[in-house]
Structure formats: structure tokens, C-alpha cells
Amino acid sequence: MEPKTEARRPLRVLSLDGGGVRCIIQLAILDELERRAGPIYRCFDVIVGSSVGALVGCGVSLGFGMQESTELFYSFVDEVFSKHDRLHEKLKRLSWWSFSKHSDDRVNEVLQKIFGNTTMQDLLVKPTMVLCHNPQKARPEIISSDEERYASVPVWEACKAATSAPLYFKPKQVKTRYYSDFLLDGGLISNNPALFGLSKGMQIMRQRHGEADLSDVLMVSLGSGKIREETSTTLSGHLNALTTAPFFGSSEATHYGLRDLLGRNYYRLQVEIPNHLKRPDESYNIHELHAITEEVVERHYLPVIEHLAGLVTEAPAQAAPIVDTGTVTLVPEGEAALHDVLIKSGVKSLN
């Protein structure tokens, strides 16, 4: 067993929440990080994504630049969520045995254009983990680039499975070396997949060094927008709570748990958004979401991103920042802090 030394560098994990169109928030933040740290795929040892966050993660792991990824994401949103089908196509999807709001043929075509013939073994970051739900086995299915059984799975198929949310898209059949199952959106298991990234990071460090503890993992977790909703006792209020809690609520629950576990090795970058932007498939929201995030980054996140750039590159570690709700300041040297970044978009300033 290798003795633990302070010089041992933590494993760098990038976790990407699901959120449909709202994942433009992640690309805007990663774009700023790339300007300071270089290609994002070189900044992390593990990438894990849930739902559309998996699509963002696979793009990073193929070496896509963030400007290119943003352009591709705009195209994806426009093609998948904006196109209007002919009447017979809509009626076909309304059949009880094959209901889906959006066209599977279209999303398959767009994903194949983006990822081509690449397979999981072609991804540059190993492991890159695509979180899905396997209803047949009632468990998570993590399509990982470092596992032989998933090596030949096309990246576009993994991303389609990870984004196959019930009612929005049909389940996706994924064939591995050992079995073939229908998979669903990873957000049904965990919309915030950071816990899976932490588990994988600890496993890797134990394999490398014989032992590991929580200080061996540096977690950068990117949200896809947080909303605040009024409590309502009406039927629509109850239904709204039932549909939003599994995604927004579970993401924040994971965040609070990891914040306490990892302390100064944990960074959660999240943006609070207006209620009207919460829908994951409203294509016309993407421009407002992008603009809000760019403003938040400019007004609040730049010190944090500058600090992260030092942590995820070969540059020496800097003093850790204190990040409080609505503010960004730097921690005095030697002082510990939790890195919980939650900014109300355009509401609070640094002063």
C-alpha cells in the first residue's frame, strides 16, 4: 500500500446534471473555464452525466471545444424540440403503445450527426460515464468508457438512452457484449449524478494506491438551473410538485450530502432561474437561459472559475475561495470553506 502524502493529487471529477434545454447553463460555464484552463477534456479524470448532461459530457470527452459544443447544442435543441411534425406523424406517436412527445427518428438522426460512428472506447476521458435507468433490472445502468462490455456501444446510442425520458421519447435499446436492454433517462435514477462520480473516483484511487479517502477526489458539479416555487394546495400544485421534485429536489439533496462529505474539495456551480424557464424541452428558452448564465458568470463566477482553472490544471493549488449564497470572495490562506455556489441571476452583486 502506497503511503498517503499531501503531494498526492486528487482525482478530478466533472459531474453534469440533466436538464434538457437548461444544460446550456453548463456549456456557458465550461466555456469560461476553457478560456482559462485549456481543453476541458484535459482538465478532468472522470466525467459523469445524467440525461442531457451525458450528451454534454460525451462532447467534452471527444475533445469538442466549448464554442463548437454550444453551436451543436443549439442545433440539437432546434432540430429535436422545435420542428413541427405532419399530422400523421403526431397521431402515430399518440398511439398508446408508442407514445412520445418528440420524434425518436429525429433525435436519432441529430445525435448520429453529432457523434458519427464513434463508440464509447473512442472517448478521450476514461472513464466517461453515461447514467441511464434500466427498468427491466430495476437499477442504474452506467455506460462507462472504461468497461469492456460497453466498448462497442455507439456514443450516440448511449446518449439517446440517457435522454429517453418517459413521455418525451421512447426507450432506447442498447446492445452490449453480454445483453440487450431497453434503457430510460438517467434523471429517473439521479438527475445529479455526482455521487456516481465520487464512487468511481474512490474506486480508481484505491486501485492506484491501495487505499483512498474523500480528500482524494476533487468534485466539480454543474447544475442546470434551480427554481423556487410557491407552495400550492390545488390539484395542479400537487401535480407540479410530483413532477418537479424527482429532478430539482433530488439534485439538491445530492448536492447537500456531497457538500458535507467533501468540504473544500467540492464545487457546485448552479444558477437560479425564473420559473418560466424550467421546462426541459422549450427550445425558445435557450437564448434567455444562455444570456442569464453569461451575466451570472460575468458578475459572480469569474473568481471561482479562475480558482478552478488552477485546481484542474498543472498549476499549483491556490488559496480556496469562500463562496456564500449570492457572493464570491476569497478565503484567507489556510482557512477551510465549503464551495456552494448558488447565485440569483442578476439579483445580487459582489458588494
Side-chain angles (χ1 to χ4, degrees), residues 256-276:
Y256 279 102
L258 288 178
R259 182 189 67 178
D260 294 339
L261 279 173
L262 295 176
R264 62 185 299 116
N265 272 23
Y266 177 68
Y267 292 79
R268 171 74 169 171
L269 277 71
Q270 178 66 292
V271 174
E272 190 165 310
I273 60 175
N275 191 285
H276 70 274

Side-chain angles (χ1 to χ4, degrees), residues 42-55:
R42 294 180 179 172
C43 296
F44 295 97
D45 307 296
V46 176
I47 296 175
V48 58
S50 182
S51 192
V52 174
L55 192 157

Side-chain angles (χ1 to χ4, degrees), residues 115-155:
F115 296 113
N117 296 322
T118 57
T119 60
M120 292 301 291
Q121 65 185 349
D122 298 321
L123 297 178
L124 300 173
V125 180
K126 292 182 172 58
T128 296
M129 304 160 63
V130 174
L131 177 62
C132 305
H133 171 48
N134 189 326
Q136 296 163 280
K137 295 184 171 68
R139 62 171 175 79
E141 188 77 38
I142 303 174
I143 303 175
S144 185
S145 63
D146 67 337
E147 295 189 30
E148 185 181 357
R149 57 180 167 166
Y150 298 119
S152 61
V153 173
V155 173

Side-chain angles (χ1 to χ4, degrees), residues 98-299:
S98 62
F99 178 84
S100 65
K101 182 178 179 181
H102 301 291
S103 167
D104 260 43
D105 291 339
R106 185 176 300 123
V107 71
N108 289 342
E109 180 182 349
V110 174
L111 288 173
Q112 287 179 69
K113 285 181 181 178
I114 293 173
F115 296 113
N117 296 322
T118 57
T119 60
M120 292 301 291
Q121 65 185 349
D122 298 321
L123 297 178
L124 300 173
V125 180
K126 292 182 172 58
T128 296
M129 304 160 63
V130 174
L131 177 62
C132 305
H133 171 48
N134 189 326
Q136 296 163 280
K137 295 184 171 68
R139 62 171 175 79
E141 188 77 38
I142 303 174
I143 303 175
S144 185
S145 63
D146 67 337
E147 295 189 30
E148 185 181 357
R149 57 180 167 166
Y150 298 119
S152 61
V153 173
V155 173
W156 79 264
E157 287 192 6
C159 289
K160 172 57 175 70
T163 56
S164 290
L167 302 183
Y168 292 96
F169 298 107
K170 299 175 187 177
K172 175 62 181 174
Q173 187 176 24
V174 174
K175 298 179 181 180
T176 71
R177 182 166 298 185
Y178 306 109
Y179 59 84
S180 176
D181 286 340
F182 284 92
L183 304 179
L184 292 171
D185 192 298
L188 298 171
I189 292 291
S190 180
N191 201 54
N192 177 350
L195 186 60
F196 293 94
L198 173 61
S199 175
K200 189 68 172 183
M202 294 288 287
Q203 177 189 348
I204 291 172
M205 293 303 275
R206 281 194 296 268
Q207 291 172 347
R208 289 181 181 177
H209 306 289
E211 50 81 35
D213 59 41
L214 293 172
S215 65
D216 284 319
V217 175
L218 171 68
M219 175 68 67
V220 178
S221 174
L222 303 187
S224 59
K226 180 178 179 178
I227 61 169
R228 297 180 187 270
E229 295 189 278
E230 297 294 330
T231 302
S232 173
T233 58
T234 65
L235 176 59
S236 63
H238 286 300
L239 292 174
N240 184 61
L242 286 171
T243 56
T244 58
F247 299 99
F248 293 104
S250 68
S251 290
E252 292 307 301
T254 300
H255 156 56
Y256 279 102
L258 288 178
R259 182 189 67 178
D260 294 339
L261 279 173
L262 295 176
R264 62 185 299 116
N265 272 23
Y266 177 68
Y267 292 79
R268 171 74 169 171
L269 277 71
Q270 178 66 292
V271 174
E272 190 165 310
I273 60 175
N275 191 285
H276 70 274
L277 296 178
K278 71 178 182 179
R279 290 279 299 273
D281 65 334
E282 294 290 0
S283 60
Y284 50 79
N285 287 343
I286 191 171
H287 297 283
E288 187 175 355
L289 286 163
H290 198 174
I292 285 174
T293 307
E294 287 184 329
E295 181 182 358
V296 170
V297 166
E298 180 67 27
R299 296 180 61 185

